[in-house]
Amino acid sequence: MTETPRTPLTLARVEAAARAAHAGQTDKAGRPYAEHLRAVAEGVRARGGDEEQIAAAWLHDAVEDDRLTERWLHEAALTRRTKDIVLAVTKRSGEPPEAYAARVLATPGALLVKEADLAHNADPARLAVLDEATRTRLTEKYTRMRALLGLVAGEHNS
């Protein structure tokens, strides 16, 4: 398949692709994973994100979770910026949090997507259903990442 300029996928098609990719997957609380994707996309929209960032929000975990390949992302009818944001927020095996945060900060548009992701991940109602050890571990992890990204602690807008 050769790469030719194409009209980017609509948000509805990006959402459908993300939902299909994550079909059957659940989050740590046992909820359908698509609920997290929707919450992050809505969080990006509520924070003033544009369509490219909202598309990236729908796809933000797809490559990391091995639901879609980097090749799929490369070949998808998405803007370069959307692809760059998805790759920026995709954690790599063994990567130090500092390197991950630096990549997010260096990629235009990625910080807003990661902020919305962290806000939903750290939602007290979402964490409340987890056991105490997991809740504590994740809270510390999310707090540390917010600090590395320069995000003010305690900004948890649902």
Side-chain angles (χ1 to χ4, degrees), residues 130-145:
L130 303 175
D131 64 82
E132 188 174 346
T134 302
R135 188 169 53 246
T136 300
R137 179 181 61 80
L138 291 176
T139 299
E140 289 171 0
K141 174 183 165 184
Y142 302 145
T143 300
R144 179 165 186 237
M145 184 52 61

Side-chain angles (χ1 to χ4, degrees), residues 23-157:
Q25 184 181 8
T26 56
D27 67 12
K28 290 175 181 69
R31 302 292 306 158
Y33 206 78
E35 290 180 10
H36 171 63
L37 303 177
R38 180 188 46 74
V40 175
E42 287 305 314
V44 167
R45 186 185 311 276
R47 287 168 173 79
D50 59 32
E51 286 205 358
E52 291 174 315
Q53 290 168 302
I54 295 166
W58 276 107
L59 297 169
H60 80 275
D61 281 335
V63 175
E64 181 177 316
D65 291 352
D66 292 324
R67 296 295 175 151
L68 295 172
T69 64
E70 281 194 42
R71 180 179 178 149
W72 179 91
L73 185 66
H74 174 73
E75 294 177 354
L78 298 165
T79 66
R80 179 78 257 156
R81 182 166 171 254
T82 294
K83 293 175 185 184
D84 288 347
I85 293 170
V86 172
L87 292 173
V89 300
T90 298
K91 291 184 192 111
R92 298 170 188 163
S93 180
E95 180 178 41
E98 295 80 4
Y100 174 77
R103 185 174 62 251
V104 170
L105 290 169
T107 305
L111 181 60
L112 188 69
V113 174
K114 189 61 190 176
E115 181 180 13
D117 180 36
L118 285 168
H120 188 248
N121 283 340
D123 181 340
R126 197 162 181 238
L127 290 171
V129 301
L130 303 175
D131 64 82
E132 188 174 346
T134 302
R135 188 169 53 246
T136 300
R137 179 181 61 80
L138 291 176
T139 299
E140 289 171 0
K141 174 183 165 184
Y142 302 145
T143 300
R144 179 165 186 237
M145 184 52 61
R146 289 182 65 79
L148 289 172
L149 293 170
L151 298 170
V152 178
E155 283 184 6
H156 297 290
N157 303 324

Side-chain angles (χ1 to χ4, degrees), residues 7-20 55 58-59 72 77-78:
T7 303
L9 293 171
T10 63
L11 281 177
R13 287 186 177 230
V14 171
E15 176 183 346
R19 286 181 179 276
W58 276 107
L59 297 169
W72 179 91
L78 298 165

